[in-house]
Amino acid sequence: MGEPLRFDGKVVLVTGAGQGLGRQYAIQFAERGASVVVNDLGGSFKGEGQSTRAADKVVDEIRAKGGKAVANYDSVEFGEKLVETAIKEFGRIDIVINNAGILRDKSFARVSDLDWDLIQKVHLRGSFSVSRAAWPHMKKNNFGRIIMTSSVAGIFGNFGQANYSAAKLGLVGLSNTLAIEGRKYNITSNAVAPTAGSRLTETVMPPELVAALKPEFVAPLVLYLCHENTQESGSLFEVGGGWVAKLRWQRTVGAICREASTPMTPESVRDQWEKITDFSDSTNPTTSMETTKHLISVLGELDGFGQNSQPQRPPSSSGNGGIDVELAKSANVKPSTFEYTPKEAILYALSIGYTTRDEDHLKFLYEGSEDFSVVPSFSILPSQAGTAGLFTGGIPGLSVDVTKILHGEQYMELFKPFAPSGKLTSKARIVDVLDKGVGALIVINVDTFDEKNEKVAFNQSAIMVIGAGGFQGAKSSSELKPMIKAPTRAPDSSMAEKTSVDQAALYRLTGDRNPLHIDPSFAAMGGFKEPILHGMCSFGFATRHVLKKYANNDVSKIKAIKVRFSKPVLPGQTLQTDMWKDGNRIFFQCKVVENGSVCLSGAYIDLYEGATESQASSKGSSNMALKSDAVFKGMIEQLKGRKGVAKKINAVFVWEITQGGKKVAEWTADMKTGEGSVYEGTPKSGKADCTVVISDDDLVDLVTGKLNGQQAFMSGKMKLRGNIMLAQKLGELFKDQAKL
């Protein structure tokens, strides 16, 4: 026998507490130290009339025994008033017992609108109103217990109680949802279907049974469910006469009543009816997500749902636990496309912590910045687009439970900086599946190409599927990019930064919509008390820190990034990145300051050797041949034969030509002196009226008509400084080559 269950310091609100079950709840809570608000309207069991006598009598009974209680006579429709009484008299509210109820029994054909509405108003709306009023107080206190009073009539139906049955089963659904939403606030909610002698049951039971089924045989269950040490939530119980039982749903295996790419017909349902209704091999679902997962698997099997080009095949029977590594590696995954503009690049930058408080924030947050850049870790977005269909459409040779997926490791290699906007194509393939015992580690490679079919990035994701191990597969793979331990010395540098409580909500807008990061109920299914931050968001934070500390925010310096995701991070926690420099490799690890947990381990960033110097050097010093040279040389020749064009333009233009995001050449067109002159270098007058920043390739596309000038400006491919209205005159300078 354990210690007695006490409720000292707790405040309990019991509705319909003037008689029967409600009275017994109130008395037993008070006897065990709780302060009780005894609510009762004092009307008849049909909901007619009003009196203070019932509630006062119970309060007097509690006080006579030395307990604490106060009466409330309001209708449960006005839940705020009931909770106000608790706050005013006792300063808090901890437990709500939604017990108030009435009956208006009639056969379905005779139920009036009033009969229906009154039952819903008292039972369903009343419980909603009282619970809603108590909810913010419970959240604030990080504690709450809610009981909904259902009925066997609601669970199984009962003749003459259509209105009552509908309301009572509605309370079960309400309780289940409150259990999900309250989980992270330590608020539980359960429904009980009691059978006890009361003025409601005496209309449907013989007198001797009413007398035998005492309320005292029901109340102990309710008290146990409301104790601070009881974590049971989202459950439904039958109780009566000292007997307690938990109910749950049962589902048949069911049957698929159509074939791939064919319609479903009533006849196909008829033909499968025996299987549809066969409970011999049933399951007991507990969440709506289980239904969603099952439907996804059905769609994957029939239609190849997702981007995977092959429908899921039956698991292998080769004795390896249903995993066929070679079949998985042979999966033909359709290439995916990913289009983006500066808007998507900026949203990503914001989602990984860039802020206008940063000294050089314009570089990543303003498309009009002359050196606007895309963060290197942006590479994960087209990569994830390329693998999205693998887990929703089914992987041949694998059976993947989407709720058991964890991102284990990530490797990223950048071959050139991302343009401000573009259309990328990613090609994914499974290169290995490893048996890690506790799970299967799926290694996926993704190559990403730009519109010129030049490789921009390579990503490798190692995805752990918990519970899928033990298939006697390989433990390691030469395909998997290795982890490298950081030096044992003290970090060369560190940066700490607090994430926002909305960090995950913001990051998911970049494309990773996994509900694990926003939905408390889905997070609970994964074993987390609350939604966690995306691992790739922490990855982005760490990349920013290294980029700032060791690359001076020069995105062209980043060559490769590798991390292992070790521990979860909660939105609002502080990330500290410790860094060690060893030549062109920056080792780092990221930890959560609040609890000391290392969230990113075995991590490093490789820098391109001399990338900034070589890419930022001028054309003259590097002897670099540029396509745009021909454009300006053509302009020089054209000016010789075009009198009056300089006077017509009357402005000094400067072109800053870039490659890989770095300026590699500068040209001036001075249309304010003589017949105008075009030359390489800065303006001899020392000042430009309008400066155009554009890449070597884009300038050629612009003057040859392949790139529209307005689109180039709006997409960030062409940036203007100074008097941007003068850009309208640029067409005159390229008149004989192409129109801007």
Side-chain angles (χ1 to χ4, degrees):
M1 295 289 290
E3 292 292 324
L5 300 181
R6 298 286 301 175
F7 293 87
D8 302 289
K10 294 292 188 284
V11 177
V12 184
L13 167 59
V14 184
T15 68
Q19 301 182 56
L21 280 170
R23 170 184 171 276
Q24 193 60 223
Y25 296 147
I27 289 174
Q28 290 201 21
F29 272 116
E31 288 176 345
R32 291 174 179 265
S35 300
V36 183
V37 177
V38 179
N39 162 263
D40 203 292
L41 187 63
S44 71
F45 76 88
K46 291 186 177 181
E48 299 166 342
Q50 187 172 355
S51 170
T52 62
R53 183 173 179 275
D56 288 342
K57 186 176 179 181
V58 176
V59 169
D60 291 343
E61 188 175 354
I62 291 172
R63 289 177 176 174
K65 296 179 181 180
K68 299 177 182 178
V70 63
N72 175 277
Y73 317 112
D74 294 300
S75 168
V76 289
E77 297 175 69
F78 309 109
E80 295 85 355
K81 293 183 178 180
L82 279 67
V83 173
E84 281 177 12
T85 299
I87 302 301
K88 180 179 178 181
E89 295 294 331
F90 302 119
R92 59 185 295 133
I93 178 72
D94 300 290
I95 299 168
V96 169
I97 311 297
N98 290 298
N99 175 73
I102 62 172
L103 283 178
R104 295 180 75 90
D105 292 352
K106 292 179 182 177
S107 64
F108 182 64
R110 297 177 58 240
V111 175
S112 67
D113 287 350
L114 180 62
D115 294 328
W116 181 273
D117 292 342
L118 282 177
I119 291 294
Q120 308 306 315
K121 186 179 293 185
V122 174
H123 290 271
L124 191 53
R125 180 175 173 77
S127 298
F128 155 74
S129 180
V130 175
S131 301
R132 181 180 62 177
W135 193 261
H137 300 284
M138 292 178 171
K139 285 177 62 176
K140 181 180 178 181
N141 297 335
N142 198 42
F143 178 85
R145 298 290 184 266
I146 296 173
I147 297 293
M148 303 291 182
T149 304
S150 184
S151 167
V152 291
I155 300 169
F156 305 111
N158 195 36
F159 184 88
Q161 292 191 311
N163 50 359
Y164 183 77
S165 299
K168 286 303 189 183
L169 193 57
L171 286 168
V172 176
L174 175 59
S175 177
N176 290 342
T177 296
L178 295 191
I180 293 170
E181 295 188 13
R183 185 176 290 117
K184 71 176 181 178
Y185 303 109
N186 192 26
I187 301 173
T188 68
S189 182
N190 291 285
V192 297
T195 303
S198 70
R199 60 178 184 166
L200 298 189
T201 56
E202 67 186 11
T203 64
V204 293
M205 291 182 182
E208 60 273 17
L209 186 56
V210 171
L213 292 172
K214 298 179 180 180
E216 291 92 323
F217 299 148
V218 171
L221 168 65
V222 171
L223 267 70
Y224 171 73
L225 291 173
C226 293
H227 195 264
E228 60 186 357
N229 292 336
T230 302
Q231 296 301 310
E232 185 77 25
S233 192
S235 299
L236 170 63
F237 299 89
E238 280 189 271
V239 55
W243 168 77
V244 180
K246 182 175 179 178
L247 285 79
R248 64 182 183 183
W249 294 101
Q250 186 178 24
R251 180 169 63 195
T252 68
V253 172
I256 297 175
C257 301
R258 69 180 180 91
E259 295 181 358
S261 304
T262 62
M264 179 178 174
T265 65
E267 291 76 17
S268 63
V269 176
R270 176 198 62 198
D271 296 342
Q272 294 284 354
W273 193 250
E274 184 175 348
K275 188 174 181 181
I276 292 170
T277 58
D278 180 9
F279 279 91
S280 60
D281 187 18
S282 60
T283 59
N284 300 101
T286 58
T287 68
S288 60
M289 186 54 62
E290 291 178 63
T291 298
T292 302
K293 286 163 46 185
H294 185 70
L295 292 176
I296 288 174
S297 69
V298 170
L299 292 172
E301 181 177 340
L302 291 177
D303 307 322
F305 177 73
Q307 296 180 26
N308 191 345
S309 62
Q310 293 179 256
Q312 186 174 1
R313 304 180 190 180
S316 168
S317 57
S318 57
N320 60 1
I323 290 183
D324 188 326
V325 176
E326 293 307 314
L327 182 59
K329 289 166 64 174
S330 68
N332 180 21
V333 184
K334 288 182 179 178
S336 68
T337 58
F338 179 84
E339 293 191 57
Y340 69 98
T341 67
K343 177 182 176 181
E344 284 72 34
I346 292 169
L347 177 60
Y348 175 77
L350 289 168
S351 77
I352 60 169
Y354 276 106
T355 168
T356 54
R357 293 190 297 271
D358 293 333
E359 183 179 351
D360 52 357
H361 66 273
L362 290 178
K363 181 172 186 175
F364 300 103
L365 299 182
Y366 176 46
E367 69 281 5
S369 172
E370 61 179 301
D371 57 350
F372 178 72
S373 301
V374 179
V375 188
S377 51
F378 180 83
S379 169
I380 191 62
L381 302 190
S383 173
Q384 287 180 334
T387 61
L390 289 176
F391 300 108
T392 56
I395 302 174
L398 299 177
S399 179
V400 178
D401 182 343
V402 294
T403 67
K404 300 297 178 65
I405 289 176
L406 294 176
H407 197 162
E409 300 176 14
Q410 184 68 34
Y411 175 79
M412 181 182 294
E413 191 167 351
L414 292 310
F415 298 100
K416 63 179 182 178
F418 285 94
S421 62
K423 182 177 182 180
L424 305 174
T425 300
S426 293
K427 301 175 182 178
R429 60 190 179 95
I430 297 172
V431 294
D432 221 333
V433 182
L434 306 181
D435 186 352
K436 293 296 185 177
V438 297
L441 189 70
I442 305 173
V443 184
I444 306 170
N445 286 357
V446 182
D447 293 303
T448 299
F449 303 85
D450 62 17
E451 294 168 272
K452 298 177 181 178
N453 202 33
E454 294 179 357
K455 186 183 287 191
V456 179
F458 166 79
N459 276 270
Q460 182 181 86
S461 300
I463 306 298
M464 177 69 78
V465 184
I466 301 298
F471 56 91
Q472 307 304 312
K475 306 293 183 185
S476 61
S477 172
S478 59
E479 292 283 354
L480 184 63
K481 298 292 182 179
M483 308 302 304
I484 302 178
K485 290 185 178 181
T488 55
R489 69 178 187 272
D492 297 330
S493 60
S494 296
M495 288 184 66
E497 189 172 7
K498 188 176 180 63
T499 64
S500 164
V501 293
D502 299 317
Q503 204 73 55
L506 179 60
Y507 185 86
R508 68 187 299 271
L509 297 181
T510 65
D512 186 346
R513 302 297 181 93
N514 188 337
L516 173 68
H517 306 292
I518 193 71
D519 185 346
S521 61
F522 198 95
M525 290 175 61
F528 301 103
K529 291 184 178 180
E530 57 186 286
I532 61 174
L533 189 63
H534 303 71
M536 286 306 303
C537 184
S538 301
F539 180 106
F541 267 77
T543 299
R544 283 180 45 233
H545 294 165
V546 176
L547 183 65
K548 181 176 182 178
K549 187 68 179 178
Y550 290 103
N552 195 30
N553 280 335
D554 182 351
V555 298
S556 69
K557 278 191 174 183
I558 303 298
K559 179 181 181 181
I561 311 171
K562 173 71 178 186
V563 305
R564 171 177 288 161
F565 303 102
S566 304
K567 294 286 185 179
V569 179
L570 300 180
Q573 290 183 325
T574 304
L575 293 175
Q576 177 177 313
T577 305
D578 296 327
M579 296 166 271
W580 296 262
K581 190 176 189 305
D582 184 4
N584 289 323
R585 173 163 287 174
I586 311 300
F587 295 95
F588 69 92
Q589 76 170 16
C590 211
K591 66 182 179 181
V592 178
V593 172
E594 285 78 3
N595 56 30
S597 297
V598 175
C599 57
L600 301 180
S601 62
Y604 62 86
I605 289 181
D606 286 338
L607 305 178
Y608 276 109
E609 185 172 359
T612 299
E613 289 75 22
S614 63
Q615 293 184 22
S617 60
S618 68
K619 180 173 71 78
S621 61
S622 65
N623 296 317
M624 187 185 304
L626 299 176
K627 299 176 185 177
S628 56
D629 287 352
V631 173
F632 293 105
K633 290 176 181 178
M635 193 185 302
I636 293 172
E637 293 301 317
Q638 291 165 22
L639 281 176
K640 294 178 181 178
R642 298 180 62 194
K643 304 295 183 181
V645 67
K647 185 177 181 181
K648 185 176 182 180
I649 295 175
N650 192 31
V652 177
F653 290 95
V654 167
W655 282 268
E656 293 182 359
I657 309 302
T658 67
Q659 276 193 341
K662 291 298 174 182
K663 186 170 73 171
V664 293
E666 188 170 358
W667 286 82
T668 296
D670 185 349
M671 299 292 110
K672 284 187 172 180
T673 57
E675 292 299 329
S677 59
V678 176
Y679 51 87
E680 188 175 4
T682 58
K684 296 175 182 177
S685 62
K687 183 180 179 182
D689 295 308
C690 180
T691 299
V692 182
V693 182
I694 191 167
S695 74
D696 185 50
D697 288 339
D698 287 338
L699 178 60
V700 174
D701 288 345
L702 193 67
V703 299
T704 56
K706 294 180 181 179
L707 179 63
N708 177 273
Q710 185 175 4
Q711 291 177 346
F713 176 70
M714 296 302 294
S715 66
K717 289 186 174 181
M718 178 174 68
K719 303 178 182 68
L720 301 174
R721 298 199 306 268
N723 186 351
I724 64 175
M725 297 304 294
L726 289 173
Q728 299 177 59
K729 298 184 177 182
L730 287 174
E732 288 291 331
L733 290 172
F734 299 100
K735 196 169 185 179
D736 293 337
Q737 297 184 54
K739 293 185 178 180
L740 280 174

